[in-house]
Amino acid sequence: MSKKDKPTEEQSVRYEDLIDDLESIVDQIESGEIGLEESIKGYEKGMELVKQARAILDRAEQRIVELNTDQIADSED
Amino acid sequence: MSERLPFNPGRMKAKQTGERAGARDDQSLVSVLGKSQQANQALSVTQLASQIEHALKKGLPSSVVLIGEVSSVSHRTHFYFSLKDDQSVISAVMFASAAKRSSYQPTQGDSVIVKGRVDFYAPSGRVSLIVNSIEPVGAGQLEQEFKERCNTLRDRGWFADSHKQTLPMFPQRISVITSKDGAALADVIDTMRRRCPCIELVIVDVRVQGASAAGSISRALKMIDEHAVSLGIDAVILTRGGGSMEDLWAFNEMAVIESVYYSKVPVVAAIGHETDTTIAELVADERCATPTQAAMRLTPDREALHEQLHALHNRLKRAIGAIIRESRYELNALQNSKALASHQSFLELHRHKMATYQQRLLQAVQAVRQIHINRVQSFAIRLARHQPSHVHARREERIELLEERLKRTIMRSLQHSRERLDAHHRELRAVGPAQVLARGYSVTTRSNGKLIKTTEDVAAGDAMISVFSDGKVRSIVQKSDDSEQDPRLSNSQPSMKRSKKQSKNSGDDPDQLGLF
């Protein structure tokens, strides 16, 4: 089959990073150490992260790529 | 072992007597024995079998290793076969539990080494070898090699937990290094699809068995490790299905072990069956019993993730809600605070002051404006006064006034003069010639009015006017007699001649006497 050139854009955002960011935003807002305006900004960003994370989880179709080691090796040469 | 014996007399009896069977076992036996003296001394088959079993256990080691040739193989769930050499034969059985774990299946004619224990199987009255493990002759060499390599690597610390990398919580791309045609791959794909289809699989087809397998696997591992970033691969599953030690031997080769060990991408290895162990698995970051387990180990449970996300979402909403409520509360508190209130009153004061100033300013401006208006108006008035018509009117007025004054003054003056005149007249009359004239004297003047005092004042022919108390007489001097003549006589004559005209004139104005 074909080899994949680059990870897609969606993959470039790691789910773990999304969750980490989301968690730290929630922590920050919960701590009450940041101001209202900052909190609202954080909230908006957090909601966006939730959306992205859901989008990743909800992707129903499993993608399977077959990689040919020789091709990779050749292309590297 | 006794529970396996279907001919246990006690059990047979027990079946007949139902529930009480257990309690009566010994009694029943005694009663049977009691019926026959002979029987009293004889062993039952089961007893003998039991004694044989006991003797075998006692006389033989619990575990024996046996070498022999496989014959009479029958594979069902359990492996039944015989081991023989040129003189003897012994039946052997490898029960399913052990058979499943074995990578080698006994094949007719193979020389094998088996490990197991000798057992007397009472139901069939047979002594057989219960085989725990079996491997073809020669495999022992591999086993030895395996052990040595394990020891070396353990000494190097390659199996140490400290070397193990943490697996990603949620890999998005996993590389599966295995045979494209193997059942292991199917298991991995199936598990992943079930648990979390959002994870992408990158399959690298490798040989998993045979001479070239180690090189193929090692190359694949190195390639994935090298390109992990650009390929976006978070973890590797190295797997294959069950097989003999020889089959799995590639995973014990140093090339594969090193590739696994040095891989910066976490490697989860699941090679062979649960009981099989390869060094690659020991070196891997995570070892799993089966391909399915490896897939599960790396695949987060989507439902759990959804729950986690949901929880975070709720926390986020609650947190922001709390912040907003708090801020609103603070705002209200501030609004109601004394400081702000006083500030507001301060503001109010200033607003009021401002309004006052504004008012005053307006008034001042209006006042100034009024002043200017007034000045302009006064200028206008003054200017109007100097208008010709106005000036003329005023002059006329003044003239009238002056005229009036003049008239009054003149009248007063005339009156005064008249009064003075009357007074003088009265005085004059009192001392004047009138009284003299009234006594008979007269006054003679020349026609020009000049008083004739002496005869010398007239010559013959001169006209004279004599004034009497009751009128005038015009006369002409006939002759002047300077010596003896009474002037009164001479005067009396001419005075008789009175011209009508003169008389008339004189008689009309008796006041002419005043001229004296």
Side-chain angles (χ1 to χ4, degrees):
Chain A
M1 278 215 267
S2 66
K3 62 173 172 151
K4 274 266 171 176
D5 297 319
K6 292 268 169 185
T8 60
E9 201 169 305
E10 198 178 308
Q11 285 168 333
S12 65
V13 184
R14 287 162 51 88
Y15 183 86
E16 280 163 295
D17 294 341
L18 287 182
I19 294 296
D20 279 353
D21 287 354
L22 182 58
E23 198 132 26
S24 75
I25 285 170
V26 174
D27 284 346
Q28 266 189 330
I29 297 177
E30 279 179 341
S31 75
E33 281 166 10
I34 52 170
L36 177 64
E37 205 170 318
E38 202 80 348
S39 297
I40 287 170
K41 271 187 202 161
Y43 175 74
E44 282 168 356
K45 173 132 191 261
M47 291 307 273
E48 181 54 36
L49 294 178
V50 168
K51 207 172 114 189
Q52 283 181 32
R54 284 227 168 101
I56 290 174
L57 288 186
D58 289 340
R59 202 172 69 203
E61 183 201 359
Q62 185 174 47
R63 280 191 282 194
I64 299 173
V65 179
E66 203 172 310
L67 205 65
N68 187 324
T69 53
D70 298 332
Q71 278 180 346
I72 286 281
D74 290 347
S75 71
E76 286 302 310
D77 298 339
Chain B
M1 278 289 131
S2 62
E3 67 271 17
R4 280 191 186 166
L5 305 175
F7 298 114
N8 184 331
R11 282 183 183 269
M12 295 306 285
K13 278 277 176 193
K15 276 188 181 169
Q16 289 169 356
T17 52
E19 293 175 335
R20 294 158 66 204
R24 291 190 170 190
D25 273 357
D26 295 341
Q27 278 186 345
S28 303
L29 188 60
V30 169
S31 68
V32 170
L33 290 175
K35 283 179 184 171
S36 161
Q37 193 63 29
Q38 265 188 323
N40 217 3
Q41 292 167 353
L43 293 171
S44 71
V45 176
T46 302
Q47 280 172 325
L48 181 62
S50 175
Q51 283 181 10
I52 291 169
E53 196 183 341
H54 183 71
L56 281 176
K57 270 189 179 170
K58 209 177 169 186
L60 287 171
S62 61
S63 178
V64 292
V65 178
L66 193 68
I67 188 163
E69 189 189 316
V70 178
S71 68
S72 315
V73 182
S74 97
H75 291 268
R76 282 191 291 275
T77 343
H78 316 295
F79 296 159
Y80 293 101
F81 56 98
S82 298
L83 286 172
K84 63 174 187 182
D85 56 17
D86 50 355
Q87 291 176 12
S88 310
V89 63
I90 188 159
S91 64
V93 59
M94 196 170 187
F95 291 114
S97 58
K100 239 195 289 179
R101 291 197 302 261
S102 175
S103 56
Y104 172 78
Q105 290 193 355
T107 311
Q108 184 79 25
D110 277 3
S111 283
V112 294
I113 295 176
V114 297
K115 198 193 266 184
R117 62 184 168 84
V118 178
D119 184 54
F120 176 70
Y121 187 51
S124 58
R126 259 194 192 175
V127 172
S128 35
L129 189 70
I130 309 295
V131 178
N132 290 325
S133 68
I134 179 169
E135 53 187 52
V137 173
Q141 208 180 330
L142 288 179
E143 184 82 20
Q144 192 61 31
E145 210 177 322
F146 176 85
K147 278 179 181 164
E148 281 170 14
R149 195 163 288 169
C150 272
N151 289 335
T152 311
L153 296 176
R154 186 176 290 114
D155 290 346
R156 280 196 213 166
W158 280 29
F159 303 156
D161 281 347
S162 58
H163 177 69
K164 311 285 183 199
Q165 299 182 86
T166 315
L167 301 184
M169 182 190 89
F170 188 165
Q172 304 215 343
R173 270 191 150 197
I174 295 172
S175 178
V176 187
I177 299 177
T178 189
S179 164
K180 194 170 76 175
D181 307 315
L185 178 61
D187 287 351
V188 170
I189 291 174
D190 186 51
T191 308
M192 293 261 186
R193 183 172 290 149
R194 214 160 15 83
R195 278 176 65 95
C196 203
C198 48
I199 294 175
E200 264 190 43
L201 294 179
V202 177
I203 294 157
V204 185
D205 181 28
V206 291
R207 288 178 167 277
V208 291
Q209 194 170 338
S212 60
S216 171
I217 296 163
S218 170
R219 211 164 40 245
L221 280 164
K222 281 179 181 163
M223 185 270 290
I224 290 294
D225 188 36
E226 201 177 322
H227 302 284
V229 175
S230 64
L231 291 169
I233 287 168
D234 303 311
V236 170
I237 293 178
L238 180 62
T239 188
R240 71 147 281 167
S244 68
M245 196 171 201
E246 289 91 338
D247 292 343
L248 305 180
W249 191 250
F251 296 91
N252 293 319
E253 294 277 16
M254 275 314 284
V256 173
I257 295 165
E258 282 172 357
S259 300
V260 171
Y261 181 78
Y262 290 117
S263 174
K264 290 182 287 296
V265 181
V267 177
V268 177
I271 294 148
H273 291 298
E274 206 169 342
T275 48
D276 299 324
T277 301
T278 61
I279 300 176
E281 289 172 284
L282 298 174
V283 171
D285 297 299
E286 183 87 17
R287 180 192 177 191
C288 291
T290 59
T292 300
Q293 208 181 20
M296 284 179 73
R297 181 65 190 78
L298 271 177
T299 320
D301 182 10
R302 190 155 59 152
E303 290 313 308
L305 288 178
H306 264 303
E307 269 173 37
Q308 183 199 25
L309 194 57
H310 185 67
L312 275 171
H313 188 192
N314 282 344
R315 269 177 69 196
L316 185 65
K317 286 196 287 191
R318 271 200 305 274
I320 195 71
I323 291 267
I324 288 171
R325 269 196 307 281
E326 203 172 302
S327 300
R328 189 168 290 145
Y329 176 77
E330 278 177 5
L331 187 63
N332 283 341
L334 269 175
Q335 271 179 344
N336 298 330
S337 74
K338 277 185 182 172
L340 197 68
S342 69
H343 184 65
Q344 271 181 340
S345 68
F346 177 77
L347 281 182
E348 198 54 46
L349 182 70
H350 275 264
R351 201 169 287 134
H352 182 70
K353 266 188 171 177
M354 199 61 81
T356 313
Y357 285 139
Q358 202 174 3
Q359 185 67 25
R360 281 173 64 185
L361 188 66
L362 197 66
Q363 282 172 354
V365 167
Q366 278 178 345
V368 169
R369 187 166 162 265
Q370 196 54 49
I371 287 168
H372 280 272
I373 287 171
N374 290 349
R375 278 180 73 182
V376 169
Q377 278 179 349
S378 77
F379 280 134
I381 289 164
R382 281 168 67 186
L383 197 65
R385 271 191 213 145
H386 291 92
Q387 272 179 354
S389 63
H390 204 90
V391 171
H392 183 70
R394 273 194 298 128
R395 280 180 185 162
E396 271 188 349
E397 192 183 338
R398 211 170 161 203
I399 289 168
E400 276 171 14
L401 280 169
L402 285 172
E403 191 184 3
E404 190 66 27
R405 275 175 69 193
L406 190 63
K407 276 181 182 169
R408 274 203 308 276
T409 311
I410 283 176
M411 288 304 285
R412 243 194 338 269
S413 180
L414 273 175
Q415 184 64 29
H416 187 64
S417 299
R418 191 170 288 123
E419 283 168 3
R420 277 180 65 194
L421 192 60
D422 285 349
H424 286 306
H425 191 200
R426 277 191 302 275
E427 286 172 10
L428 204 59
R429 267 197 306 197
V431 295
Q435 294 298 322
V436 178
L437 290 176
R439 286 195 310 265
Y441 296 93
S442 67
V443 177
T444 307
T445 65
R446 293 175 72 104
S447 59
N448 60 1
K450 197 176 172 183
L451 195 61
I452 301 164
K453 289 180 180 173
T454 64
T455 54
E456 287 172 2
D457 291 339
V458 284
D462 288 347
M464 296 189 306
I465 297 168
S466 304
V467 181
F468 300 88
S469 66
D470 61 342
K472 294 175 184 176
V473 173
R474 202 174 176 99
S475 53
I476 302 297
V477 178
Q478 285 173 339
K479 192 189 159 189
S480 177
D481 191 354
D482 300 332
S483 50
E484 306 277 328
Q485 265 195 301
D486 194 352
R488 283 177 294 182
L489 288 171
S490 65
N491 279 348
S492 61
Q493 281 181 319
S495 64
M496 297 302 288
K497 289 185 192 175
R498 196 185 293 185
S499 73
K500 254 189 164 177
K501 199 179 174 181
Q502 283 173 328
S503 301
K504 195 181 177 185
N505 287 340
S506 307
D508 283 347
D509 193 4
D511 288 338
Q512 286 293 322
L513 290 169
L515 292 172
F516 291 107

